[in-house]
Amino acid sequence: MIKAILIFNNHGKPRMSKFYEHYTEDTEQQIIRETFHLVSKRDENVCNFLEGGLLIGGSENKLIYRHYATLYFVFCVDSSESELGILDLIQVFVETLDKCFENVCELDLIFHLDKVHNILAEMVMGGMVLETNMSEIITQVEAQGKMEKSETLTLLFICQSMRQSQASRFSSKIS
Amino acid sequence: MSDVVEKTLSALPGLFDSQTGAARITSRLRQLVKSITELTSKNEEESLIKQELSSMKEQVSSPNTSMMREIMVRAMYCEMLGYDASFTYIHAIKLAQQGGVLEKRVGYLAVSLFLNEGHELLLLLVNTVLKDLQSTNVIEAYMALTVVAQVFPKDMIPAVLPLLEDKLSYPKEIIRRKAVLALYKFYLIAPNQVQHIHAKFRKALCDRDPGVMTSSLHIYLQLITESPDDYKDLTGSFVTILKQVVGGKLPVDFNYHNVPAPWLQIQLLRILSLLGKEDRSTSELMYEVLDESLRRAEMNHNITYAILYECVKAIYTIHPKAELLEKAARCIGNFVLSPKINLRYLGLKALTYVVQHDAKLALQHQMTIIECLDHTDFTIKRETLELLFRITNAQNVTVIVEKMLDFLHGCSDEHTIIHLVGKVAELAEKFAPDNSWFIQTMNDVFSTGGDLLQQDVPNNFLRLLAEGSESKEEDDQLRLYAVNSYLTVLKGDASHLPQRFLQVMSWVLGEYAHLQESVDQREVIRLLTQLLDQRSVSSETRVWILSALTKISEGQTDLILDLAESLSSSQDTVLRQQAQELRQLSQDSQLYEWVLPRGAPWDSMEVDSSLSFLDGFVSEALAAGAAPYKPPHQRQEELCEDRALNLEPYSFSLPVSLSSCSITDRQSPTLLSVSSGLSGNSTELSQKAGSSTLILEGVKRVWGRDGYLRQNETTAPPVDEPSAAVQPSGQQEAAERLEPQPEPSTQNQDKLQLASSLFVGLGAGSSMSLLGKSEAPPPRFRKKPRPHESSSSSSSGTSERSSDSSSRSSHSTTDSFLYGSLLEEEPATSISAFSHTPKSSTANGLAQNKDTKEDRRANTSQILGGDMVIVRPNTFQDKHPSLVSSDLTALLPADLKDLPHSDVISLTSDPSLSLSSCRLFRDEALLLVILISNCTETVIKDVAVQLTCEELETASLRGNVMNCLEGNSTSVCHYALLMDEPHTNVSFTGTVSYQTQPGHTNTLSFSGTLSAADFIRPLVVSTEEYGKLWLSLSHDVKQNLKLLTDASDPLRTTLNALKDALQLHVVDIIGSEGIVACRLLSGAPCLLHCRVNGAALAMWLRSPHPALPDCILYHCQRALAQH
């Protein structure tokens, strides 16, 4: 079972966090910090697995992560998941984000936190892997996006263009 | 037409509004994010977020919902950063309740992020979820399912359960798939509430959509992990699925990088390895497909390695097959030698796993392992050490432990330290080559492990020292080493040492310092007193030190008295008490001799476990009006009862006051066990009060829960006078050895030599001995079995087994469904059920029988042949045509005629014989009567009946062998069956052999099922007795059941229905509550308390047997469903 999915940037700023087990809010923050601490000090040429920190349950759990440009994607899973399988699941997740946002960048995650969560919900439900097929995930996300479109019609295009122009303006500041 | 236009026009402004709202959304959030990224300090961020939150608070109070979505997203953002936005929770729920589809989506998302399963606000969501689940809008149902699987209050599961079950047959596959996962979630949090839908899980497994099948594998992985035996019959199906997947029979959509459904393969391989574990026949079914998987997984992508890894693991888990093992070993080689670091990691993991079966494999890769040991990657290093840990033996222990300690010194991760230090300690205990090495290593363990150490490491160490082995001389030598080593340590700078280490040292010095004669006791005392003065020493450690001082202070009162004086005014009460005791003892040498007899064996110490010396005091206090003692849990219970608002579903509104009688009732057994549990150590221990936790372990358990514990081995040699134990010469030698010996320096040697030292003892011949590490070289320090351990572990584990045993459906159906869904080219005939050749007649009989049941439940008219059908007593009329006319009951033996009995049902028949059965309910057993009728005119000879049932015990049988059976006559044989362990359903099989012509034997086999309901008998008790019994029972289960609401008195109707179905005894009905009692034959009772709770019946069951309530609950559910 997947216990938690965390995305944070190179500075440890959380960009998305989803916990499938209940922790108190403080613990969640500590877990994010601890995980960042564990993951960030690893070189690029080491393996993508490490044992979970104390808070998330120690040797019972594994952290499986991938590092993309400015972002770390960390899945915390228990022994019932396959390490390499999860590693590729992260890849699927990121590729899906990329498809949905057209060239995803850190800012997309910040401004569309809800959409990221919705995409994730198509892949992982209650800690169980629901769907691993990218085109299927995108179909589902789009099917739900359609109602959004029907409600907000033309504005989407305006938003889209605004987002792109502003995103490029911010990205220099953030990174 | 104009209407439509008009509507559109009128809707436009609203649409426009929402658009501007949406525009504001992004701008506000953007504003927030932008300002946050511009900040430099945490403080600024905090104040900014606070500002943001307060502005949000203002906004939520205004009723504009178009803003709400945006606020939710902002709140999510703040929560993610770790700020409390709890005021938005209720609005999130509102949004999910009232909003349109879009709002609902954000609302549900926010709810699943903000709230946890136990959150009270979640109750407000239940109705919305129910409504949405029933909604015709797929998207709404979809969202509701998502939220159900994420967060749902456990108590409310019964409310949504039927809706979810409906969703399992929903036309849209994604809905079915989500429903399956939601049910799995329910299974995880409340297994007994979904046990009746196990059959539906099977249906999901056979779903025509591979996606739904995939999600059902989650459930099966879990179920099979819990009880592999119950699902062996599905092995064939899983193998078939895997075969089809590997063979590329799935749609191309499921491919990932040209690999067919890799995640599905991984899941299946895990399931198969669980099923095949230690089971030869099951393993044989899967060899072929494993081989196929290995072959098909060409090394071209990460994900194929994932499959290969699972394959290899499965091959090594199941019953071994040489050919496959060889292939798997080659695979592992590929992993280990791979330049990709991830694969190497997995290779090491695989090796670690495999090495238990085949140590030679590690030998093959020893050079790689050595390389990994020096790898820069922390994870790889750790995994390597884990591998080394597995291959440690008496010969290579020093090198391996050294490597581990090296690693530990350079490691800062707390978790790793704890984990690894425990392993080092374990190895040291098991394989230590000599005393000095052992003590040195343990010193290292204590000083690096520090206070993170798990408690049992020092405990075990002290126990080992204290209990010793068979040879007293060796023990004393070990103790002496320890004493010497600690004296050296203490002479150095002790301020940086961890508290645990200090505690261990002071205990050892206190106990054994006298063994070392060359050192003045005064010196020891001086060292210990020095420690006491140090500031870094915690007060707990001070207590340890002081008790050590107490032990060695005999005759040295001058040194101690000052100390005792100064500490007797300490702030710490425990320390003060200890100091007082020390003062008293040092003044009265006789008392000292009596309390702390030097070297007395522990066995000889007498413990007054009943604390009888306090009797006088207690009775005096009682006479003076003191309240009698209540054990803590009792106090807790009463506290709960006192609370003004009791929201628990159960409150005792029975007329009798139960608490008073229960106290006395309970006190006798529990109080005794509590007191003896506490004082289950020696008198000596009570002297060391305050520091009890650690020393408890160091002292032999003489008194346990059941009183005096017999030592089942030769008792430890008492610690005698030191002079006898240690010869002067040996002592000198010891002192010499104490000098830190130069460790065999491995650093300078090249890796080959390291390899040879690491892998020594793993050679060809010794691979067998490694299978069981413990049996190879006798462990140096053999632990004595702890006498009290055995009792603790036996009680658990029985309950899980029974819960799942009920729902087995046929493997043949599964197969045929699969053929139907996945294998189009399979001949059509095989789709029809039951055309498969049965694996064995037993399995087939069982399977068919179950199917019949299912079919009947579904009201299909497809009834199969002469199979047996289960009829439950009185509950529901069976419409089965093969029901035998009741005149057969007239054939029952006279002494049995009066017993309550079920209808007679036909079991099976052939041209000459027909069998039917009838169940008679006797108080202490179930009588299964088998009526054997001769349908022919001729005489049938040598009729013999044989009946087998694994779960049941046959108490007696009669009439199972007959010499001859006349034409057209009927004979009766009956079995008295007993059920010791509750099983929801048990099946029996049997055969009848007979001869129509001499020398020509025919056999006729039959099978059937008995339900636990057949074994439940009413327990006739009064309300008062019920109350007493209730409190004494421990295992309880609560659940809401359906209430039969059609009658005027629903509770009474429901209880009567249950009574009819299950032979319960309704003890009393008061208002909206009822109490019911029953028992399993003449064995374990089960008490039921029922309360009408709205439209449901809140049922609370208690029983001494953990599995019985579940079992009864299951039958109650069924009975009510049938009604």
Side-chain angles (χ1 to χ4, degrees):
Chain A
M1 193 183 141
I2 299 172
K3 307 274 172 175
I5 295 173
L6 310 172
I7 306 177
F8 40 74
N9 70 1
N10 289 347
H11 306 288
K13 275 258 171 263
R15 288 306 174 219
M16 194 215 72
S17 64
K18 173 83 197 169
F19 290 86
Y20 294 99
E21 288 219 323
H22 173 54
Y23 300 97
T24 63
E25 235 154 80
D26 283 343
T27 327
E28 286 184 1
Q29 290 303 315
Q30 278 169 13
I31 288 175
I32 296 175
R33 272 199 297 276
E34 190 187 51
T35 313
F36 171 69
H37 182 70
L38 285 171
V39 168
S40 63
K41 66 180 180 197
R42 291 175 65 79
D43 299 333
E44 284 297 314
N45 59 344
V46 296
C47 67
N48 301 59
F49 319 117
L50 70 159
E51 300 225 329
L54 269 186
L55 292 168
I56 201 108
S59 55
E60 290 291 299
N61 292 334
K62 283 232 146 46
L63 300 176
I64 297 164
Y65 73 98
R66 269 179 187 268
H67 190 191
Y68 294 92
T70 59
L71 289 176
Y72 284 99
F73 287 72
V74 186
F75 278 45
C76 176
V77 302
D78 67 8
S79 59
S80 72
E81 300 286 343
S82 146
E83 285 97 339
L84 284 180
I86 293 291
L87 204 59
D88 271 80
L89 192 70
I90 301 179
Q91 182 68 27
V92 170
F93 181 38
V94 174
E95 277 177 32
T96 312
L97 287 177
D98 200 51
K99 278 255 170 72
C100 291
F101 288 111
E102 289 155 27
N103 258 331
V104 68
C105 69
E106 193 180 336
L107 274 178
D108 290 314
L109 304 194
I110 304 172
F111 291 129
H112 300 278
L113 190 59
D114 52 337
K115 195 171 174 189
V116 177
H117 274 294
N118 284 332
I119 293 171
L120 188 63
E122 297 302 326
M123 294 183 66
V124 179
M125 188 167 129
M128 275 86 66
V129 179
L130 175 71
E131 179 60 73
T132 51
N133 183 358
M134 189 161 68
S135 57
E136 189 68 29
I137 300 167
I138 293 174
T139 320
Q140 285 299 333
V141 172
E142 274 172 1
Q144 303 206 15
K146 253 179 213 156
M147 21 170 235
E148 202 154 355
K149 266 185 196 146
S150 65
E151 276 189 43
T152 49
L153 231 52
T154 51
L155 192 88
L156 198 83
F157 296 102
I158 306 168
C159 282
Q160 194 82 13
S161 58
M162 270 173 67
R163 182 180 69 81
Q164 271 163 6
S165 66
Q166 294 206 6
S168 55
R169 238 190 303 141
F170 288 137
S171 56
S172 56
K173 274 178 192 161
I174 287 181
S175 60
Chain B
M1 185 68 191
S2 62
D3 271 5
V4 177
V5 175
E6 210 166 317
K7 261 186 197 162
T8 320
L9 283 177
S10 62
L12 261 179
L15 193 62
F16 191 71
D17 259 6
S18 75
Q19 280 164 15
T20 46
R24 246 181 295 146
I25 288 176
T26 29
S27 69
R28 287 220 176 222
L29 183 65
R30 187 154 297 165
Q31 197 63 42
L32 171 66
V33 174
K34 188 180 163 212
S35 22
I36 284 183
T37 48
E38 279 167 356
L39 297 176
T40 47
S41 74
K42 185 86 187 159
N43 267 349
E44 282 177 296
E45 183 187 297
E46 235 164 70
S47 64
L48 184 85
I49 297 269
K50 264 197 196 124
Q51 214 179 311
E52 180 69 22
L53 286 174
S54 62
S55 90
M56 270 158 58
K57 221 177 241 176
E58 251 166 59
Q59 285 168 352
V60 288
S61 46
S62 76
N64 186 350
T65 45
S66 75
M67 288 288 292
M68 225 33 164
R69 267 170 61 202
E70 185 261 316
I71 290 170
M72 279 307 138
V73 179
R74 270 154 67 202
M76 281 180 218
Y77 190 73
C78 293
E79 285 259 319
M80 182 182 72
L81 291 177
Y83 297 91
D84 177 50
S86 50
F87 64 90
T88 54
Y89 294 176
I90 185 70
H91 296 283
I93 289 179
K94 265 195 208 157
L95 205 60
Q97 279 169 346
Q98 301 156 351
V101 178
L102 254 186
E103 275 84 18
K104 217 179 234 320
R105 186 153 164 232
V106 177
Y108 272 138
L109 177 64
V111 166
S112 69
L113 283 174
F114 293 157
L115 306 182
N116 61 61
E117 271 150 29
H119 203 288
E120 49 192 359
L121 281 180
L122 218 49
L123 288 176
L124 297 176
L125 196 72
V126 172
N127 257 330
T128 318
V129 169
L130 284 177
K131 205 179 73 200
D132 284 342
L133 276 178
Q134 287 160 314
S135 160
T136 47
N137 187 343
V138 180
I139 304 247
E140 280 181 353
Y142 183 84
M143 290 189 298
L145 276 176
T146 312
V147 90
V148 163
Q150 304 268 20
V151 280
F152 200 74
K154 193 177 164 187
D155 310 337
M156 286 298 153
I157 288 177
V160 291
L161 206 52
L163 288 174
L164 275 189
E165 286 177 55
D166 288 348
K167 289 283 177 287
L168 284 178
S169 45
Y170 202 83
K172 230 173 146 53
E173 57 99 4
I174 185 74
I175 298 282
R176 290 206 299 277
R177 200 196 279 198
K178 288 214 163 191
V180 170
L181 281 188
L183 284 176
Y184 171 57
K185 184 81 181 183
F186 285 177
Y187 176 78
L188 287 182
I189 53 179
N192 58 9
Q193 303 206 353
V194 294
Q195 59 174 325
H196 62 287
I197 45 177
H198 280 203
K200 295 208 167 148
F201 292 158
R202 293 211 175 210
K203 226 166 139 196
L205 183 65
C206 313
D207 197 281
R208 61 181 181 279
D209 180 73
V212 181
M213 184 264 292
T214 310
S215 29
S216 76
L217 290 184
H218 285 291
I219 299 176
Y220 278 102
L221 188 60
Q222 178 71 26
L223 290 175
I224 292 172
T225 314
E226 283 165 12
S227 60
D229 290 341
D230 292 346
Y231 298 91
K232 296 275 185 195
D233 59 324
L234 283 175
T235 314
S237 318
F238 290 124
V239 168
T240 320
I241 299 175
L242 185 57
K243 235 180 239 169
Q244 293 171 9
V245 174
V246 172
K249 296 276 173 10
L250 286 184
V252 194
D253 293 357
F254 285 86
N255 285 10
Y256 175 78
H257 288 265
N258 291 328
V259 184
W263 286 279
L264 175 57
Q265 288 194 44
I266 291 170
Q267 198 91 336
L268 282 168
L269 285 167
R270 293 199 161 202
I271 289 178
L272 286 183
S273 72
L274 286 174
L275 283 171
K277 194 175 185 182
E278 288 159 11
D279 182 344
R280 185 171 184 164
S281 58
T282 314
S283 298
E284 272 163 4
L285 293 175
M286 50 186 87
Y287 288 147
E288 193 192 333
V289 74
L290 286 177
D291 193 31
E292 176 90 3
S293 303
L294 271 186
R295 210 159 40 79
R296 290 262 186 169
E298 295 134 24
M299 305 265 190
N300 58 0
H301 190 268
N302 248 343
I303 201 76
T304 48
Y305 288 108
I307 298 173
L308 275 181
Y309 176 73
E310 293 303 328
C311 248
V312 167
K313 255 188 107 167
I315 287 171
Y316 274 98
T317 313
I318 63 173
H319 189 84
K321 187 187 181 194
E323 190 189 327
L324 281 177
L325 287 179
E326 204 176 297
K327 282 183 187 169
R330 220 175 308 140
C331 247
I332 294 181
N334 285 338
F335 273 107
V336 176
L337 296 173
S338 164
K340 286 183 188 165
I341 191 77
N342 282 340
L343 299 187
R344 194 176 276 207
Y345 168 79
L346 282 187
L348 285 172
K349 257 191 89 167
L351 266 186
T352 314
Y353 185 75
V354 162
V355 119
Q356 301 163 48
H357 306 272
D358 181 10
K360 269 185 277 178
L361 212 55
L363 266 183
Q364 275 174 25
H365 300 294
Q366 44 179 302
M367 287 319 291
T368 323
I369 296 173
I370 303 282
E371 263 170 46
C372 290
L373 206 51
D374 292 332
H375 201 278
T376 46
D377 188 353
F378 184 78
T379 315
I380 297 273
K381 258 193 202 170
R382 253 203 82 162
E383 201 56 45
T384 317
L385 289 178
E386 184 79 35
L387 171 60
L388 289 180
F389 170 73
R390 296 285 171 97
I391 59 169
T392 309
N393 55 31
Q395 282 140 301
N396 59 13
V397 64
T398 44
V399 194
I400 287 178
V401 164
E402 190 195 317
K403 285 277 160 202
M404 285 176 146
L405 288 174
D406 274 355
F407 178 80
L408 274 175
H409 291 314
C411 169
S412 57
D413 177 37
E414 284 190 7
H415 170 70
T416 315
I417 293 178
I418 297 173
H419 190 70
L420 215 55
V421 150
K423 295 208 153 147
V424 173
E426 194 186 325
L427 289 181
E429 258 179 50
K430 245 192 209 159
F431 300 115
D434 56 61
N435 286 337
S436 68
W437 183 86
F438 178 64
I439 298 293
Q440 279 299 335
T441 309
M442 288 313 284
N443 284 357
D444 239 348
V445 163
F446 287 129
S447 50
T448 38
D451 294 320
L452 299 170
L453 263 189
Q454 264 159 4
Q455 190 70 49
D456 58 340
V457 176
N459 286 353
N460 282 344
F461 177 68
L462 292 186
R463 206 158 62 92
L464 203 137
L465 277 184
E467 289 178 3
S469 59
E470 275 79 26
S471 151
K472 179 174 154 30
E473 214 155 293
E474 269 178 34
D475 290 344
D476 278 344
Q477 264 185 18
L478 178 64
R479 290 166 189 160
L480 196 63
Y481 278 125
V483 169
N484 285 335
S485 147
Y486 295 156
L487 286 176
T488 332
V489 171
L490 284 184
K491 275 175 194 158
D493 179 22
S495 58
H496 62 279
L497 292 175
Q499 303 300 316
R500 286 273 167 75
F501 193 19
L502 291 178
Q503 291 167 8
V504 167
M505 285 199 283
S506 44
W507 188 84
V508 171
L509 288 179
E511 288 287 319
Y512 303 116
H514 61 89
L515 292 177
Q516 175 58 288
E517 287 186 322
S518 66
V519 176
D520 189 3
Q521 298 289 308
R522 300 176 77 89
E523 173 71 5
V524 180
I525 294 176
R526 195 183 59 78
L527 283 171
L528 287 174
T529 352
Q530 245 174 26
L531 268 189
L532 269 183
D533 295 337
Q534 266 173 25
R535 208 168 274 185
S536 58
V537 174
S538 74
S539 62
E540 193 197 342
T541 313
R542 273 169 218 271
V543 176
W544 282 75
I545 296 169
L546 206 54
S547 68
L549 280 172
T550 316
K551 278 181 253 174
I552 51 175
S553 67
E554 194 188 9
Q556 325 281 354
T557 40
D558 50 323
L559 282 174
I560 300 292
L561 268 181
D562 282 351
L563 187 72
E565 202 67 53
S566 67
L567 284 175
S568 51
S569 56
S570 160
Q571 292 276 327
D572 189 320
T573 45
V574 183
L575 205 57
R576 206 157 65 208
Q577 184 197 345
Q578 193 86 41
Q580 287 290 357
E581 282 170 10
L582 174 57
R583 215 161 55 166
Q584 292 292 328
L585 288 175
S586 61
Q587 281 160 6
D588 187 346
S589 64
Q590 220 173 349
L591 182 66
Y592 186 96
E593 208 38 62
W594 189 62
V595 171
L596 290 171
R598 171 151 299 181
W602 286 317
D603 302 10
S604 68
M605 291 182 183
E606 280 175 28
V607 177
D608 187 0
S609 70
S610 61
L611 303 179
S612 61
F613 59 90
L614 286 175
D615 283 353
F617 176 75
V618 170
S619 57
E620 228 169 80
L622 282 175
Y629 174 77
K630 291 172 194 164
H633 60 268
Q634 176 112 33
R635 268 174 275 169
Q636 207 68 38
E637 242 168 48
E638 285 179 13
L639 246 163
C640 286
E641 279 169 27
D642 284 348
R643 261 184 215 145
L645 248 180
N646 191 357
L647 293 171
E648 281 284 304
Y650 191 90
S651 62
F652 248 103
S653 58
L654 298 174
V656 267
S657 119
L658 298 159
S659 52
S660 59
C661 56
S662 70
I663 293 168
T664 46
D665 236 30
R666 269 210 160 178
Q667 214 167 12
S668 42
T670 0
L671 180 59
L672 189 70
S673 76
V674 166
S675 66
S676 63
L678 277 176
S679 55
N681 23 62
S682 63
T683 32
E684 186 206 38
L685 189 76
S686 54
Q687 289 303 315
K688 292 182 252 160
S691 51
S692 57
T693 45
L694 259 180
I695 310 180
L696 266 175
E697 295 296 325
V699 176
K700 183 173 289 179
R701 287 276 180 151
V702 182
W703 288 94
R705 242 162 239 211
D706 310 318
Y708 181 72
L709 296 166
R710 284 201 170 278
Q711 304 296 313
N712 43 7
E713 56 177 308
T714 50
T715 47
V719 187
D720 256 336
E721 293 83 55
S723 57
V726 187
Q727 299 300 318
S729 63
Q731 211 177 73
Q732 251 184 8
E733 197 188 303
E736 271 165 31
R737 268 211 238 164
L738 186 72
E739 300 293 309
Q741 282 187 341
E743 294 275 308
S745 77
T746 46
Q747 280 93 333
N748 307 334
Q749 297 165 345
D750 74 344
K751 285 176 176 174
L752 267 174
Q753 266 166 310
L754 174 60
S756 66
S757 54
L758 273 179
F759 295 94
V760 67
L762 288 183
S766 62
S767 70
M768 273 312 289
S769 67
L770 263 151
L771 279 175
K773 256 192 297 174
S774 53
E775 73 190 25
R780 178 167 176 80
F781 303 108
R782 196 174 306 144
K783 273 191 214 163
K784 301 200 175 185
R786 266 188 248 189
H788 60 279
E789 257 174 3
S790 56
S791 63
S792 62
S793 62
S794 61
S795 63
S796 64
T798 43
S799 58
E800 298 121 35
R801 275 189 57 96
S802 66
S803 61
D804 301 327
S805 61
S806 59
S807 56
R808 282 192 190 190
S809 85
S810 73
H811 62 271
S812 47
T813 355
T814 317
D815 272 351
S816 62
F817 267 109
L818 282 166
Y819 286 131
S821 61
L822 294 170
L823 259 190
E824 268 82 24
E825 59 264 47
E826 195 71 19
T829 46
S830 70
I831 292 174
S832 81
F834 312 122
S835 65
H836 284 265
T837 45
K839 288 200 195 81
S840 72
S841 62
T842 333
N844 193 44
L846 172 65
Q848 291 198 357
N849 184 19
K850 293 279 183 180
D851 274 339
T852 326
K853 252 167 75 188
E854 235 126 72
D855 287 341
R856 283 189 316 118
R857 217 180 296 163
N859 274 332
T860 52
S861 57
Q862 180 197 14
I863 289 154
L864 297 153
D867 265 329
M868 182 209 162
V869 174
I870 301 102
V871 184
R872 316 173 90 271
N874 312 331
T875 37
F876 55 96
Q877 271 302 311
D878 204 316
K879 298 184 188 77
H880 200 283
S882 65
L883 186 68
V884 178
S885 61
S886 60
D887 63 338
L888 274 176
T889 47
L891 294 164
L892 291 175
D895 54 329
L896 301 177
K897 270 199 177 115
D898 297 336
L899 288 172
H901 61 83
S902 71
D903 294 325
V904 178
I905 40 179
S906 139
L907 279 177
T908 181
S909 63
D910 70 357
S912 33
L913 277 186
S914 92
L915 296 183
S916 38
S917 76
C918 172
R919 281 157 295 144
L920 276 72
F921 308 106
R922 240 176 26 203
D923 271 352
E924 76 297 343
L926 175 77
L927 283 188
L928 183 69
V929 177
I930 296 174
L931 303 155
I932 309 154
S933 311
N934 186 350
C935 319
T936 60
E937 301 290 331
T938 50
V939 176
I940 293 177
K941 296 215 163 179
D942 290 334
V943 183
V945 184
Q946 187 128 29
L947 183 106
T948 50
C949 178
E950 279 177 22
E951 290 95 343
L952 298 178
E953 204 181 303
T954 310
S956 70
L957 68 169
R958 212 184 300 166
N960 64 327
V961 181
M962 281 155 285
N963 284 336
C964 66
L965 187 59
E966 299 289 331
N968 286 333
S969 73
T970 300
S971 163
V972 172
C973 93
H974 56 90
Y975 287 82
L977 298 172
L978 300 178
M979 183 185 261
D980 291 332
E981 290 290 310
H983 297 275
T984 31
N985 283 313
V986 291
S987 52
F988 61 87
T989 56
T991 49
V992 184
S993 61
Y994 60 93
Q995 295 189 344
T996 39
Q997 294 143 19
H1000 185 73
T1001 310
N1002 294 335
T1003 49
L1004 178 61
S1005 56
F1006 61 91
S1007 65
T1009 312
L1010 297 169
S1011 91
D1014 296 329
F1015 295 90
I1016 288 167
R1017 302 284 176 268
L1019 175 65
V1020 182
V1021 288
S1022 68
T1023 312
E1024 252 168 79
E1025 286 163 339
Y1026 179 95
K1028 271 188 214 170
L1029 200 55
W1030 178 268
L1031 284 176
S1032 68
L1033 300 181
S1034 51
H1035 295 278
D1036 60 352
V1037 173
K1038 293 178 199 175
Q1039 186 155 353
N1040 284 346
L1041 296 182
K1042 199 177 96 180
L1043 191 64
L1044 302 173
T1045 44
D1046 42 351
S1048 57
D1049 187 352
L1051 178 65
R1052 202 171 284 274
T1053 322
T1054 313
L1055 288 186
N1056 282 339
L1058 289 178
K1059 183 181 156 191
D1060 290 344
L1062 281 162
Q1063 307 200 35
L1064 307 172
H1065 172 67
V1066 179
V1067 181
D1068 208 347
I1069 297 180
I1070 304 157
S1072 64
E1073 290 179 57
I1075 50 178
V1076 180
C1078 66
R1079 51 163 53 177
L1080 187 66
L1081 295 178
S1082 48
C1086 181
L1087 303 183
L1088 296 84
H1089 174 260
C1090 314
R1091 199 164 60 89
V1092 177
N1093 187 7
L1097 183 69
M1099 183 88 89
W1100 191 359
L1101 298 93
R1102 274 195 179 187
S1103 168
H1105 199 294
L1108 190 57
D1110 278 334
C1111 190
I1112 289 178
L1113 199 54
Y1114 171 79
H1115 285 289
C1116 288
Q1117 269 173 345
R1118 278 200 46 187
L1120 291 178
Q1122 302 281 3
H1123 204 80

